[in-house]
Amino acid sequence: MALLCSRSILRYTSRSFHHYRIKDLSPEKCKPGTKVNVKGWVKSVRNMKGNLFVDINDGSGPQNFQLVINKEKGIDTAYGCSVDACGVIATTPKNQLELHVESLTEVGKCPLTEGYPFYPKKSYPPEYIRNHLHLRSRVSSAASTFRVRHEATRAFNEYLHQGGFVQIHTPVLTSNDCEGAGEAFLVKPLNEELLKGMAKENVPFDHAYFDRATFLTVSGQLHLEAMSHGLDKVYTFGPTFRAENCKSNIHLSEFYMLELEEAFMDKLEELTERVEDMLKCVTRSVLDRSAADLSLVRKLTSKEVEVEEGFQWIHKPFPRLTYEEAMDILQANEGRLKSPVCRAEGINKEQELFLVEHCQGPVFVCLWPKAIKSFYMRENADNPLLVDAFDLLVPHVGELVGGSVREDSYDRLQRKLPNFDVLQWYLDLRKFGSVTTAGFGLGFERYLSWMLNVHNIKDVIPYPRWAHNCVM
Amino acid sequence: MALLCSRSILRYTSRSFHHYRIKDLSPEKCKPGTKVNVKGWVKSVRNMKGNLFVDINDGSGPQNFQLVINKEKGIDTAYGCSVDACGVIATTPKNQLELHVESLTEVGKCPLTEGYPFYPKKSYPPEYIRNHLHLRSRVSSAASTFRVRHEATRAFNEYLHQGGFVQIHTPVLTSNDCEGAGEAFLVKPLNEELLKGMAKENVPFDHAYFDRATFLTVSGQLHLEAMSHGLDKVYTFGPTFRAENCKSNIHLSEFYMLELEEAFMDKLEELTERVEDMLKCVTRSVLDRSAADLSLVRKLTSKEVEVEEGFQWIHKPFPRLTYEEAMDILQANEGRLKSPVCRAEGINKEQELFLVEHCQGPVFVCLWPKAIKSFYMRENADNPLLVDAFDLLVPHVGELVGGSVREDSYDRLQRKLPNFDVLQWYLDLRKFGSVTTAGFGLGFERYLSWMLNVHNIKDVIPYPRWAHNCVM
């Protein structure tokens, strides 16, 4: 990747101590004897044989860096403080770098007894850490999680750019509520005076700002389809909203979804190949670039000795089941399931996870009953009771991706359209220069939760929002 | 950049015609005689000397591609249709590639008389094109704009990643309404039954979903500051909302903002250098990668002969004025301004653009009166009536970026905090391991509008939302 920065991003302090971020302090880049400045937060202090050993972290990576302070200097500091230290690089007996401190400024104190929620050498359950969102970035597992999230975001964007996809910022505010009518959030200005000034006859007062009811998006798919009918390969990657009263560990009121749409694509097989290739390539990239953060966060499952073992699925093809075949497997194993298996009702979470276990990894379920899927999915050419749709089920979270070839018949679509007034424009796409498009949506927090083996998706998003919870 | 795709992204058609996207059809990659399949939309049809010459575009870039159809084939097509063509590559007398068509399928017709809004060989004003959002991607200037937007998004992300910044997905839903109380949108579930089931005593019914009033974000800055106190360098790039009754060409109800926060940064000069370097590097990158799209969209100003001339500012340092100096300039030129100049009231749009004209390009205005700026900006050490804040003014749009060093004194912040109940957490950041942070926010649509010399920012976002307008 070509470097875009034209200037050095190093910060300088006075007296010619070069500022380094900890991740850049490697023996290759920084020889013993170099005068160095570091800034960060104190993670631990040990008092030994005339020296203070102070570990600091500056957020640049999971690794801490050791400061050695000769007690004769009369310098003191404590856990949680922010510090700015100058000194000379040396190597430890284990051949790691450390800083022999000449001067240290305590930038900010950290008075634990006045309410700081994280004590040294203690580990806390995720629910506790989640109750202190504003200080969570100081917790190493949270900081690592957010760096992994950043690398995964990058990897998806890079993969799609290289595949020729254009990122479209589909809107958060929408007057289409087609899919999530029951689960949409409604939006209006807080300022009633503003609304009064904008009121019109024939428009309900609460809708005066936009002249119509306006919602938070539940999916950018239909907007993407419009863009795909001219730009061909497009995707969107942003916040999506559902108003559900749900306490599950795989639901959020605000979550990130990666949605993709591709024109001139009319085969379900091609679409599932795209999904499989993307997941494998992106995951490989995150494993390579975030190895240290990943191994800090990822709890090994009972079967694993090291992180890579959790990613054996990268090297195996994902099996494809038809919905019929998946149902056959579930019915043959009904004795091992708590929930009844019913062909007309789809596959619940327990059953999804059973299928994944049965297939020993990610599995596509293809060709679903039309009656339980969305209006925009294409009727299957061989069996009009089915649609050309798939779900990808993965360990830990169940459904990760859902997609379909889109209905391209104007007439069939017109019959199935749920809200004709609002979606007239969607029919136009099948009238003027129509092409078959296909696409999918992937739940980003579910992906991270699976990858990191983190139990609750609330812990892989910086500011989780769910029923009764919207702190900060 | 390392290639992430492991499989070919080429699509194949039957009879061994390789599918190519038009942007990949260069003489280096595709020799005359190659059997090729292309898919796209017909942009024009010319009937000449026994041949049909059909220009198609497939969204991969601004360039069209010429199909040559011998009339004896009996193939016909028309403007606006989607087509799938196979043939053999040849070169035109001007040494460009064209396709000698063997077979062509018209995938979708385009019946102009049934309401298709764009006729061949006609150009339409932006307001007209904007009225047909769902078909806008078929208009070449709009498609080019969205590809440039994609490249600009990439360039900002790459620049910041290389500078060590972690992208944080700050929330859209927030219970902090600190900055934009008067301009915030309020959110509640559409489903009243859901609300009834979640109602609690002591919580207003409309707030039952989150147990509190919940708004759409007007800025991710405070959330970023929390993350910066642990991760150091962070940024957010996403949708931001303002409920204003405003028809200006530089305002939207939903717009994209790039916000950045950096810990251990306490000098305004360093912050303005960061902004200047970022804008120059990112713009250079977009110019290099999107030259053809840019020159298709960008209307040359009266002084320019070619696109590069509009970007001479990349090679010059941006001047820094203090607010005092800026006011002196404005007062000395009051006769040339329509609006009165008043030191206590700040700088309005006309005056911003005058300063830009006066300085012949982008200009920083630094050290603003405390009374007209936000509570979180740091009091200047030499003059407590000023704050360490800047605005960057640029041609075409005026204010593009606003930033500041953040107030790091717990006591001063406590006195200035506008909403103590909701922002208690913000004070905690200055209590536990506090560091000085600095940051800024950049209006992405304003940047694009300036870069592309597009008059109205509604034309650089795929789905513009503003007062009385939320189509689709």
Side-chain angles (χ1 to χ4, degrees):
Chain A
M1 179 157 55
L3 269 177
L4 287 183
C5 294
S6 65
R7 297 184 194 185
S8 164
I9 54 147
L10 297 179
R11 300 166 197 158
Y12 293 88
T13 57
S14 54
R15 292 172 300 149
S16 66
F17 289 85
H18 277 260
H19 176 71
Y20 278 81
R21 299 193 85 200
I22 292 173
K23 74 167 174 180
D24 298 322
L25 283 170
S26 65
E28 299 76 42
K29 292 185 191 166
C30 191
K31 302 276 173 232
T34 313
K35 287 182 161 187
V36 161
N37 166 257
V38 290
K39 304 172 202 271
W41 290 269
V42 174
K43 292 291 167 178
S44 72
V45 180
R46 295 178 315 283
N47 193 332
M48 265 165 62
K49 297 184 192 161
N51 284 319
L52 280 185
F53 292 90
V54 177
D55 278 347
I56 68 167
N57 184 285
D58 66 359
S60 65
Q63 56 282 60
N64 296 336
F65 181 62
Q66 180 166 278
L67 313 182
V68 184
I69 306 173
N70 187 313
K71 279 197 203 158
E72 289 175 5
K73 296 251 178 211
I75 296 169
D76 200 15
T77 188
Y79 167 81
C81 298
S82 45
V83 297
D84 182 331
C86 289
V88 177
I89 290 289
T91 42
T92 67
K94 286 184 180 168
N95 213 26
Q96 291 185 306
L97 297 188
E98 62 183 11
L99 192 74
H100 289 183
V101 172
E102 296 189 359
S103 68
L104 182 145
T105 308
E106 209 169 59
V107 181
K109 298 252 174 223
C110 190
L112 297 189
T113 53
E114 292 180 30
Y116 191 67
F118 307 118
Y119 273 58
K121 292 174 196 161
K122 288 194 84 168
S123 72
Y124 296 92
E127 296 75 18
Y128 177 87
I129 300 173
R130 210 187 296 145
N131 277 334
H132 303 278
L133 286 185
H134 64 300
L135 297 169
R136 198 157 65 143
S137 66
R138 219 79 68 75
V139 177
S140 57
S141 61
S144 284
T145 299
F146 301 140
R147 281 188 299 264
V148 171
R149 188 179 167 106
H150 166 74
E151 285 294 353
T153 302
R154 280 187 69 216
F156 277 112
N157 283 324
E158 280 183 17
Y159 174 89
L160 291 169
H161 175 76
Q162 289 168 9
F165 286 84
V166 174
Q167 183 174 10
I168 296 294
H169 293 129
T170 52
V172 166
L173 298 174
T174 174
S175 49
N176 296 350
D177 65 340
C178 62
E179 264 206 284
E183 300 166 350
F185 285 102
L186 201 59
V187 169
K188 68 166 188 174
L190 172 62
N191 184 342
E192 294 271 323
E193 290 305 311
L194 179 78
L195 271 185
K196 280 180 198 160
M198 298 177 74
K200 287 182 183 171
E201 259 182 79
N202 306 324
V203 177
F205 179 72
D206 272 0
H207 302 170
Y209 187 84
F210 286 119
D211 292 350
R212 63 193 79 197
T214 305
F215 313 94
L216 299 186
T217 183
V218 296
S219 160
Q221 179 197 316
L222 304 191
H223 296 92
L224 272 190
E225 284 188 49
M227 284 291 162
S228 184
H229 278 78
L231 287 165
D232 182 357
K233 293 165 177 251
V234 289
Y235 76 104
T236 183
F237 185 21
T240 313
F241 304 84
R242 299 279 160 88
E244 297 167 297
N245 187 8
C246 176
K247 293 191 179 95
S248 106
N249 60 2
I250 53 166
H251 287 86
L252 286 164
S253 304
E254 175 176 353
F255 59 100
Y256 273 66
M257 189 141 72
L258 175 77
E259 294 180 277
L260 172 152
E261 199 72 24
E262 195 160 352
F264 301 104
M265 188 189 262
D266 55 6
K267 294 189 189 64
L268 193 59
E269 299 71 35
E270 234 181 301
L271 185 63
T272 56
E273 275 193 35
R274 163 73 70 199
V275 173
E276 183 173 345
D277 185 55
M278 180 181 76
L279 278 175
K280 289 176 173 178
C281 293
V282 164
T283 304
R284 184 69 263 160
S285 162
V286 177
L287 285 175
D288 291 343
R289 292 170 173 177
S290 298
D293 278 317
L294 253 162
S295 57
L296 192 145
V297 179
R298 194 171 198 278
K299 280 158 205 59
L300 298 175
T301 63
S302 53
K303 295 172 195 156
E304 298 165 16
V305 182
E306 55 169 22
V307 166
E308 279 279 338
E309 285 177 65
F311 296 90
Q312 292 306 313
W313 58 265
I314 288 182
H315 311 292
K316 297 174 194 160
F318 297 177
R320 272 79 172 156
L321 299 177
T322 64
Y323 180 82
E324 275 303 298
E325 289 166 342
M327 278 292 152
D328 290 345
I329 293 171
L330 291 173
Q331 284 188 326
N333 291 279
E334 209 156 5
R336 298 169 60 192
L337 294 165
K338 286 180 200 148
S339 50
V341 178
C342 174
R343 285 183 190 250
E345 284 184 11
I347 305 176
N348 67 22
K349 192 58 55 189
E350 183 203 13
Q351 294 162 0
E352 287 175 358
L353 293 174
F354 180 85
L355 287 169
V356 169
E357 186 72 23
H358 182 87
C359 297
Q360 299 182 299
V363 50
F364 286 102
V365 179
C366 301
L367 299 176
W368 287 66
K370 182 165 67 177
I372 57 172
K373 286 288 190 182
S374 299
F375 74 92
Y376 51 72
M377 297 180 174
R378 187 178 67 180
E379 224 174 78
N380 181 263
D382 300 323
N383 182 345
L385 294 175
L386 302 180
V387 285
D388 292 328
F390 76 88
D391 277 7
L392 174 67
L393 313 179
V394 304
H396 198 74
V397 293
E399 183 194 344
L400 174 67
V401 188
S404 68
V405 179
R406 315 308 185 187
E407 182 57 78
D408 51 8
S409 150
Y410 186 94
D411 294 335
R412 273 201 296 270
L413 203 51
Q414 190 170 34
R415 282 197 302 275
K416 288 162 74 184
L417 209 58
N419 191 342
F420 191 79
D421 285 351
V422 174
L423 287 179
Q424 175 65 49
W425 67 264
Y426 188 68
L427 276 174
D428 270 1
L429 302 181
R430 276 74 185 176
K431 189 170 185 177
F432 303 114
S434 174
V435 296
T436 311
T437 73
F440 61 80
L442 172 147
F444 186 51
E445 283 78 18
R446 291 188 182 187
Y447 170 74
L448 290 174
S449 168
W450 170 38
M451 249 211 115
L452 293 170
N453 196 21
V454 164
H455 174 68
N456 196 319
I457 66 170
K458 299 180 184 80
D459 298 317
V460 299
I461 188 167
Y463 297 96
R465 277 81 179 86
W466 72 101
H468 299 300
N469 283 277
C470 185
V471 177
M472 292 173 67
Chain B
M1 176 158 53
L3 269 176
L4 287 183
C5 293
S6 65
R7 296 185 194 186
S8 166
I9 53 145
L10 297 179
R11 300 168 198 157
Y12 295 86
T13 56
S14 56
R15 292 171 299 149
S16 68
F17 288 85
H18 277 260
H19 176 72
Y20 278 80
R21 298 193 85 200
I22 291 172
K23 73 166 174 181
D24 299 322
L25 282 170
S26 64
E28 298 77 42
K29 293 184 190 166
C30 192
K31 303 274 173 233
T34 313
K35 287 183 162 187
V36 160
N37 166 256
V38 289
K39 303 172 203 272
W41 291 269
V42 174
K43 294 289 168 180
S44 72
V45 180
R46 296 178 312 285
N47 194 332
M48 266 164 61
K49 295 182 196 163
N51 284 319
L52 279 185
F53 293 89
V54 178
D55 278 345
I56 67 167
N57 184 285
D58 65 2
S60 65
Q63 57 282 60
N64 296 335
F65 181 63
Q66 180 167 279
L67 313 181
V68 184
I69 307 172
N70 188 314
K71 279 195 201 156
E72 288 175 5
K73 296 251 176 210
I75 297 171
D76 199 15
T77 186
Y79 167 82
C81 298
S82 46
V83 296
D84 182 332
C86 291
V88 177
I89 290 289
T91 42
T92 68
K94 287 183 179 170
N95 213 27
Q96 291 183 308
L97 298 187
E98 61 183 13
L99 192 75
H100 288 184
V101 171
E102 297 190 358
S103 67
L104 182 144
T105 309
E106 208 168 63
V107 182
K109 297 253 175 220
C110 189
L112 297 189
T113 52
E114 291 180 31
Y116 191 67
F118 307 118
Y119 273 59
K121 293 176 196 161
K122 286 194 84 169
S123 72
Y124 296 93
E127 296 74 20
Y128 177 87
I129 298 173
R130 209 187 297 143
N131 277 335
H132 303 279
L133 287 184
H134 65 300
L135 296 169
R136 199 157 63 143
S137 67
R138 218 78 68 76
V139 177
S140 57
S141 61
S144 284
T145 299
F146 301 139
R147 282 187 299 262
V148 171
R149 188 178 167 106
H150 167 73
E151 285 294 353
T153 302
R154 281 186 70 217
F156 277 112
N157 282 325
E158 279 184 19
Y159 175 89
L160 291 169
H161 176 76
Q162 289 168 10
F165 286 83
V166 174
Q167 184 174 11
I168 296 294
H169 292 129
T170 53
V172 166
L173 298 174
T174 175
S175 49
N176 296 348
D177 63 340
C178 63
E179 266 205 283
E183 300 165 351
F185 285 102
L186 201 59
V187 168
K188 68 166 190 175
L190 173 62
N191 183 343
E192 294 272 323
E193 290 305 312
L194 179 77
L195 270 184
K196 279 181 198 160
M198 297 177 75
K200 286 181 183 173
E201 259 184 77
N202 307 324
V203 176
F205 179 73
D206 271 0
H207 302 169
Y209 187 84
F210 286 119
D211 292 350
R212 64 194 78 197
T214 305
F215 312 95
L216 299 186
T217 184
V218 295
S219 160
Q221 179 197 317
L222 305 191
H223 296 92
L224 272 190
E225 285 189 48
M227 284 291 161
S228 184
H229 277 79
L231 288 165
D232 182 357
K233 293 164 178 253
V234 289
Y235 76 104
T236 183
F237 186 20
T240 313
F241 305 85
R242 299 279 159 87
E244 298 167 297
N245 187 6
C246 176
K247 294 192 180 95
S248 106
N249 60 3
I250 52 166
H251 288 87
L252 287 163
S253 303
E254 175 175 354
F255 60 100
Y256 272 66
M257 189 143 68
L258 176 76
E259 295 180 278
L260 172 154
E261 199 71 23
E262 194 159 352
F264 301 104
M265 188 189 262
D266 55 7
K267 294 188 190 64
L268 193 59
E269 298 72 35
E270 237 182 299
L271 186 62
T272 56
E273 276 193 34
R274 164 73 70 200
V275 173
E276 183 173 343
D277 185 56
M278 180 182 76
L279 278 175
K280 289 177 174 178
C281 293
V282 164
T283 304
R284 184 70 263 160
S285 162
V286 177
L287 285 176
D288 291 344
R289 292 170 172 176
S290 298
D293 279 318
L294 252 162
S295 57
L296 192 145
V297 179
R298 194 173 197 278
K299 279 158 203 62
L300 298 176
T301 63
S302 53
K303 296 171 196 157
E304 297 165 17
V305 182
E306 56 170 19
V307 166
E308 280 278 338
E309 286 177 65
F311 295 90
Q312 290 307 313
W313 57 266
I314 288 183
H315 310 292
K316 297 176 194 159
F318 297 176
R320 271 78 172 157
L321 298 177
T322 64
Y323 181 80
E324 276 301 299
E325 290 167 341
M327 279 293 154
D328 291 343
I329 293 171
L330 291 173
Q331 285 188 325
N333 290 280
E334 208 156 6
R336 299 168 60 192
L337 294 164
K338 286 181 201 148
S339 50
V341 179
C342 174
R343 283 182 192 252
E345 282 184 13
I347 304 175
N348 68 23
K349 192 58 56 192
E350 183 202 13
Q351 295 161 0
E352 287 175 359
L353 293 173
F354 181 84
L355 288 168
V356 169
E357 186 72 24
H358 181 86
C359 297
Q360 299 182 298
V363 50
F364 286 103
V365 179
C366 302
L367 301 176
W368 286 66
K370 183 164 67 179
I372 57 173
K373 284 289 188 180
S374 299
F375 75 93
Y376 51 72
M377 297 181 174
R378 187 178 68 180
E379 224 174 79
N380 182 262
D382 300 323
N383 182 345
L385 294 176
L386 301 180
V387 285
D388 292 329
F390 77 87
D391 277 7
L392 174 67
L393 313 179
V394 304
H396 198 75
V397 294
E399 184 194 344
L400 175 66
V401 188
S404 68
V405 180
R406 314 308 184 185
E407 182 57 78
D408 51 7
S409 151
Y410 185 93
D411 293 335
R412 273 202 297 269
L413 203 52
Q414 191 171 32
R415 283 196 301 275
K416 289 161 73 183
L417 210 58
N419 191 341
F420 191 79
D421 285 353
V422 175
L423 287 179
Q424 176 65 48
W425 67 264
Y426 188 67
L427 275 174
D428 271 2
L429 303 180
R430 275 72 186 177
K431 190 170 185 175
F432 303 114
S434 174
V435 296
T436 311
T437 73
F440 61 79
L442 172 149
F444 185 52
E445 283 79 17
R446 291 189 182 186
Y447 170 74
L448 290 174
S449 167
W450 170 37
M451 248 210 114
L452 293 170
N453 197 21
V454 165
H455 175 68
N456 196 320
I457 66 170
K458 298 179 185 81
D459 298 317
V460 299
I461 188 168
Y463 298 96
R465 275 82 177 87
W466 73 102
H468 299 299
N469 282 276
C470 185
V471 177
M472 293 173 69

